[in-house]
Each structure stands twice: as structure tokens, then as C-alpha cells.
Amino acid sequence: MATTSPLAVGGELHFGLTGLATMGQNLARNVARHGFPVAVHNRTVARTERFLDAFGPEGTFVSARDLKELVGDLARPRVIMAMIKAGPPVDELIAALRPLLDEGDVIVDGGNSDFRDTQRRMHELASDGIRYVGTGVSGGEEGALHGPSIMPGGTRAAYALVEPVLTAIAAQVDGTPCCTYIGDDGAGHYVKMVHNGIEYADMQLIAEAYDLLRTGMGLAMPDLRATFAEWNSGDLDSFLIEITAQVLARRDDDGQGWLLDKVLDAAGQKGTGRLTAQSALDLGAPVTAIAEAVFARALSALKDERLRAARVLPGPPPQTLEVSVDDVRDALYASKVVAYAQGFDQLRRAGHEYGWDLRLGDLATIWRGGCIIRARFLDRIREAYEADPALVNLVLAPAFLEAVRRCLPGWRRVVAGAVHTGIPVPAFSSALAWYDGYRRERLPANLIQAQRDLFGAHTYERVDREGTFHSQWV
């Protein structure tokens, strides 16, 4: 039962959390550690009791055995944060909460919900005067406990009610919380979705660099670890590079050798990368590196098929990849520039499409800490948008233009060498193909348009006069 009621924070804010899996537990602990009492609830009462037994001394917690009790423990306007699985469970929770809440109360969805579901839920709840804040939370279990990157979307009035808690528990970089108001309805969840899409690309690029160094160049595991650790002290400094070095250093406790060698080469996914690519198709945003990263995970999952194919499909003879470690580093950095440029371009297009005032420099700012893609690199992105808020594409910013120019020779050598030796580099090569396509004044799309006009009378435009035209090609 509740130990105190009503729950009031600073006389104004009233906070409850339902969903005490690991992320929910750690967020509740984070909130309490910052001095905010928290009413906690889980569908199974036993989990709530275990949570209080383990973490009760860390702060002021109020336990609720059911949703009615949770709502009753909160002073109005109530704020209830949901940390549950995206999809139907969120709709079921809303249906259960809706008759218990009053006008002005707030539901905060901190899961990875589809932004279209968030738009729908927000407008449905608005008819009852209930406010809905779709909030992206990045940083995994450790981020949730020690400070995640938080991306809240909804009305500004709703955000104002949750802002003191969210900015307090967020990661802090140079005194700035990694949390800011993103935009209306589904904007927060959309930005989190693209963040995850960029994360897919970043991880795939790192995996390709690892494969090139180990399979193509024959580096031993200690040398690989040292290489990634060195990269993490330079321009590639990031959480993902840092943990890659840690993974490469881990020996297998259950046998000889390295633990990474014992891990099955079939990557899982929860769908946000796929949703990013699907939305990009709807927007006409060419996020080739992100899409290839999603496809690479899908291909990796075909383990049984790949085992059979490996026995019959021909490839080049075993040979050493004739590139340098610095070439691989340059290819990784340049491809990373393209992947982020594509992701931010998608965000720019989505802002126009859905009427969100997405401030791209602010997004780079709140991604500098707490989240999975946090990196030194994001400071340069923030600076690029500060210098030119109307920047069309990041590769055109002077700092990134110069970086790509410097990396380009090694990038080309790596992609060409990988093709020659039969090492798949879908993200490296698609990023380079996008770059070469983006820098071309004229592409062969004129032939495609002519074909479309021939077989379907779809018309075409000309380069030498205005208007649309149709020709009898045969």
C-alpha cells in the first residue's frame, strides 16, 4: 500500500512510474536520487515488492498495488510515466488509466513507440483533456540510472509539467542537460527512432571495420583492441568505439580464447532501425547507410542458409587486404559522417512533413551524453548547425567537407579492396555510393525517366526548357 499520499514534488509536480523492468527500475531510482518522491507500480505486485526491498533506501518511494491506487497516490495534475513494451500494451494501459485520470493529468510514454501511435494517442486523449508526452529515452540500463538522453514530444504545456524531473535526471554535458523539448505530438518518438537508425548504421560501420582489420588484414585480437582504443582517443571518440575496445579485450571464461569468437554471428533487432528506413522511404530521404545496416542484420540472421551457401558459392581466393589501418580508420570516419548526414537530413524532411520545428543543433546537443551514439563528433554537428541553422546537409558544412576530403583516398581504397577480396562492406560502400551520387551534377536518372515515359507515358522534364513533356520514343 502507499506509504504517503498525495505525492507532491516541489508543491507542483506529481510523479508516478509504471513498468518496473530494468529500464523502469533504473529510471525510478534516478528520479528518487534527485530528490523527487516516486509512486511505483508494476503489473505484477511481486516485482514492485522486490524493487522496494532492493532499492527502497535510495529515496522516497510509494508502492501501488494497482493502477487505481497509483492514481490515488498522486496529487493533481498527475504525471504517470509508462516504461512498458511498445505497441498494444501501451494502448491497454491507456485504456485502463483513462477513466481514472482527470483533465490536465499527463501520461508520459518512455518506450520506443511508433511515432504514428503517439500521434493517435495524443489526439484521442486530448478529447478528455488528458495530456500525452511521447518521450524517447536513450542510454540503456546504465543511462536510465545515471543519466539518459531524453527526447520529449507533445504540447509545450504538457512538457512544462514534466520538465523539472526530466532535465534533472538527464545526462549533463558542460552543465547542459541532455533533454530538450522536441516538438508536437510524435516528434519525440520520431527523433528517438532516427537516433536508433543512426545507431544501427554506426554499429554496422564499426563491425565492418573490425571485419576488415581481422579477416582482411589478419590483426590479432590484442592488436584490434589497441587499435580501437587508440581510435577512441581521436576523432572517432565515442561510446560505441569505447565499448568495442572493451569487447575485444574480453577473454572467454568458459574456455580458451576470446569471448567474441564464441558469440553467434546473428544480430538481433527490435524494429526501430527498420521503422527509420520505412519512414525514410515515405519521405524520399536516401538513408542508404541506415537501410544497409538493417539489411545486414537481416542477412546475418540467415545463419543456416549462409552455412549452406558457404559450401557452394564461389568467391575470390584467400588474400590479404592491401590497405593500411589508417585507411580503415578514414573509411570509418567518412562513412560515419555520411550516416549522420543522412539521419539529420531525414529529420529535416520529417520536420517539414509533420509540422515539427525540429532544431537540429539542439538534437546534436542532447545526444552528446547519456545516449548510445554519444560522441565527440556531435560537438561538430552542433557547431555546424549553430553556424548555419538552414544547412541543407551536413556534408556541406566546412568542417565535414574538409574531413571527407582528407579521408576520401583511404575510403576508396578500402571499399575497392574489400570488393576485390570478397569482404562485404554494405554500409561503407553504400555511404561512398551516396557521396558520389550526391556530388554528381548529372546522374543516369535521365534514362530511367525516359524509360518511364516510354512504357507508361509518365512524362519528363527537360534541361533546356520549362514544362513537362511526353515523346513517342519508338
Side-chain angles (χ1 to χ4, degrees):
M1 295 183 62
T3 59
T4 182
S5 183
L7 175 64
V9 180
E12 297 179 358
L13 193 62
H14 317 254
F15 197 87
L17 187 144
T18 180
L20 293 175
T22 304
M23 282 289 290
Q25 286 187 27
N26 284 359
L27 271 178
R29 295 169 62 194
N30 190 351
V31 173
R33 288 177 176 183
H34 282 85
F36 301 100
V38 187
V40 292
H41 165 266
N42 194 73
R43 185 172 52 86
T44 55
V45 177
R47 175 167 281 181
T48 306
E49 293 172 345
R50 289 195 299 270
F51 171 81
L52 291 173
D53 289 341
F55 308 115
E58 293 185 0
T60 302
F61 296 104
V62 178
S63 68
R65 298 183 65 84
D66 54 37
L67 290 176
K68 184 176 181 180
E69 193 169 284
L70 175 66
V71 171
D73 286 336
L74 300 177
R76 296 175 59 189
R78 308 173 182 94
V79 172
I80 297 177
M81 187 168 191
M83 294 301 299
I84 62 177
K85 185 178 179 180
V90 178
D91 287 314
E92 293 167 8
L93 174 67
I94 291 171
L97 280 174
R98 197 167 181 174
L100 303 175
L101 298 179
D102 296 306
E103 183 176 351
D105 290 344
V106 183
I107 298 174
V108 180
D109 176 8
N112 280 332
S113 288
D114 187 317
F115 78 99
R116 294 164 295 190
D117 287 337
T118 302
Q119 290 175 316
R120 169 180 57 80
R121 291 164 183 155
M122 176 179 168
H123 294 296
E124 288 174 354
L125 288 168
S127 64
D128 292 338
I130 300 171
R131 306 172 190 188
Y132 194 72
V133 180
T135 302
V137 180
S138 178
E141 299 173 13
E142 288 300 306
L145 181 60
H146 299 294
S149 177
I150 306 177
M151 297 150 260
T155 66
R156 282 192 175 274
Y159 173 65
L161 289 173
V162 299
E163 181 179 12
V165 167
L166 296 187
T167 54
I169 68 172
Q172 310 285 319
V173 177
D174 300 330
T176 300
C178 293
C179 172
T180 189
Y181 174 70
I182 302 298
D184 203 6
D185 53 56
H189 276 141
Y190 192 94
V191 166
K192 174 56 173 15
M193 176 190 76
V194 175
H195 163 282
N196 284 19
I198 294 172
E199 177 187 312
Y200 272 58
D202 219 343
M203 294 174 72
Q204 176 63 27
L205 291 168
I206 293 170
E208 290 177 18
Y210 152 78
D211 194 22
L212 290 164
L213 294 172
R214 191 166 197 208
T215 305
M217 300 173 65
L219 267 65
M221 201 70 88
D223 296 326
L224 283 168
R225 187 212 62 79
T227 297
F228 278 92
E230 180 183 347
W231 287 356
N232 196 50
S233 65
D235 288 339
L236 285 168
D237 172 21
S238 69
F239 173 71
L240 287 171
I241 294 289
E242 176 187 352
I243 67 170
T244 299
Q246 294 170 351
V247 166
L248 293 167
R250 183 69 161 82
R251 290 190 173 273
D252 183 14
D253 291 338
D254 297 331
Q256 296 182 346
W258 306 95
L259 181 57
L260 182 58
D261 290 335
K262 310 299 172 59
V263 176
L264 182 67
D265 57 321
Q269 53 182 310
K270 292 186 176 180
T272 45
R274 182 177 67 251
L275 288 174
T276 302
Q278 290 172 344
S279 176
L281 288 171
D282 292 337
L283 295 170
V287 294
T288 58
I290 295 173
E292 287 294 348
V294 175
F295 291 139
R297 292 197 189 190
L299 182 61
S300 78
L302 305 178
K303 179 65 175 181
D304 291 339
E305 292 182 40
R306 290 190 290 112
L307 288 173
R308 292 195 298 270
R311 293 193 290 267
V312 297
L313 295 181
Q319 55 193 295
T320 301
L321 179 64
E322 299 295 338
V323 298
S324 69
V325 172
D326 287 347
D327 285 342
V328 177
R329 178 202 60 204
D330 288 349
L332 176 56
Y333 189 79
S335 298
K336 181 183 178 82
V337 169
V338 167
Y340 279 70
Q342 291 176 354
F344 275 83
D345 176 56
Q346 179 171 347
L347 290 169
R348 179 181 64 85
R349 293 170 185 264
H352 293 315
E353 177 71 17
Y354 300 111
W356 301 326
D357 181 21
L358 298 183
R359 300 169 304 281
L360 301 183
D362 287 356
L363 301 185
T365 299
I366 67 171
W367 288 349
R368 292 182 303 159
C371 69
I372 302 302
I373 64 171
R374 59 186 184 267
R376 178 189 303 184
F377 184 84
L378 286 156
D379 277 318
R380 293 203 177 101
I381 295 178
R382 175 179 55 84
E383 292 163 0
Y385 284 114
E386 284 179 352
D388 183 5
L391 183 65
V392 174
N393 195 288
L394 276 172
V395 295
L396 301 176
F400 292 118
L401 186 63
E402 180 55 36
V404 172
R405 180 182 290 114
R406 174 181 57 80
C407 293
L408 194 55
W411 192 12
R412 293 195 187 284
R413 283 193 293 269
V414 165
V415 172
V419 172
H420 185 67
T421 56
I423 298 174
V425 285
F428 275 15
S429 56
S430 67
L432 181 57
W434 176 91
Y435 172 81
D436 281 334
Y438 194 63
R439 70 178 183 81
R440 285 276 298 273
E441 291 186 10
R442 188 163 173 80
L443 291 168
N446 56 327
L447 176 58
I448 295 171
Q449 199 62 8
Q451 291 171 330
R452 294 180 72 244
D453 188 53
L454 186 152
F455 66 67
H458 292 295
T459 75
Y460 60 92
E461 295 175 279
R462 296 177 62 102
V463 297
D464 55 354
R465 69 185 82 149
E466 297 293 325
T468 57
F469 302 86
H470 168 61
S471 294
Q472 295 298 326
W473 294 89
V474 179

